[in-house]
Amino acid sequence: MSDDGTVLCPGSYDPVTNGHLDIITRSSQVFERVVVCVVNNPLRKDRTLFTAEERQAFIEAATAHLGNVEVRIFSNLLVQSARELGAKAIVKGLRAISDFEYEFEMAQLNRKLDPEIESIYMIASPEYSFLSSTGVKEMATFGGDVSDLVPGPVAAAMADRLAER
Ligand code: PNS
């Protein structure tokens, strides 16, 4: 397979939501190979609910039926990972105008770091336009039902992890 069709889908994925999976699935239908990059940010490590390995395992389980998707943990610059993996583009979801400002900055920073890596934005499906990992964690913390917002195993693991705290 040529590397020309490889894209990265980066994120914290703490935890992966059905909105993330919508973007990953749609990307897998457009591009040859999708590498989901789970950020292992040392600055945020003690603030994540799940370890990078746990986040990776949740995504691997939820995308096992997609033959052209793989999941990796990364702890360097995204454009560096893109170069190493032969990816020409970074694909991210855009939910609302409020996402735009942050994503505009990220796209410009990444362009400055490597003008050859393109940033591509996919508009979130309407049913997921309100969905974020932060919102899901807050709902679960206060006993809200998140079963139709995240994969089943993630909902169960969140309940367990939050009960430990
Ligand atoms: O899910 P998130 O938290 O919005 O994802 C943010 C992420 C991981 C995409 C972003 O923090 C990132 O790209 N981090 C890697 C470091 C990097 O390359 N930064 C860009 C320019 S400084």
Side-chain angles (χ1 to χ4, degrees):
M1 187 192 293
S2 141
D3 277 341
D4 289 354
T6 299
V7 296
L8 305 189
C9 283
S12 304
Y13 300 109
D14 185 44
V16 67
T17 69
N18 291 344
H20 292 131
L21 293 170
D22 174 54
I23 298 294
I24 294 166
T25 303
R26 286 163 56 202
S27 297
S28 78
Q29 288 159 357
V30 176
F31 301 102
E32 251 178 289
R33 173 180 171 232
V34 176
V35 183
V36 179
C37 290
V38 176
V39 69
N40 189 20
N41 184 343
L43 296 176
R44 288 199 201 168
K45 219 171 208 166
D46 53 352
R47 289 201 290 135
T48 58
L49 188 58
F50 296 106
T51 65
E53 289 74 18
E54 288 170 327
R55 289 178 268 150
Q56 177 185 33
F58 289 138
I59 305 169
E60 278 174 347
T63 59
H65 61 293
L66 301 171
N68 59 343
V69 174
E70 61 196 83
V71 190
R72 300 198 183 205
I73 295 170
F74 79 106
S75 34
N76 52 7
L77 280 176
L78 192 53
V79 292
Q80 193 182 324
S81 297
R83 281 195 296 266
E84 285 166 11
L85 294 163
K88 291 248 167 65
I90 296 162
V91 176
K92 296 187 79 180
L94 258 195
R95 289 163 301 188
I97 296 172
S98 50
D99 279 345
F100 180 80
E101 213 169 323
Y102 172 76
E103 293 300 344
F104 183 81
E105 183 182 326
M106 289 301 279
Q108 301 294 15
L109 283 172
N110 283 327
R111 182 188 294 273
K112 174 113 184 89
L113 290 167
D114 190 336
E116 291 190 3
I117 308 289
E118 196 56 71
S119 293
I120 299 174
Y121 289 91
M122 202 172 259
I123 300 296
S125 297
E127 62 270 38
Y128 302 124
S129 59
F130 64 92
L131 189 51
S132 69
S133 298
T134 306
V136 165
K137 278 185 282 197
E138 184 152 344
M139 277 177 74
T141 300
F142 294 104
D145 179 11
V146 297
S147 58
D148 59 349
L149 305 178
V150 295
V154 174
M158 280 177 83
D160 288 347
R161 185 60 49 91
L162 288 166
E164 287 166 13
R165 289 196 160 185

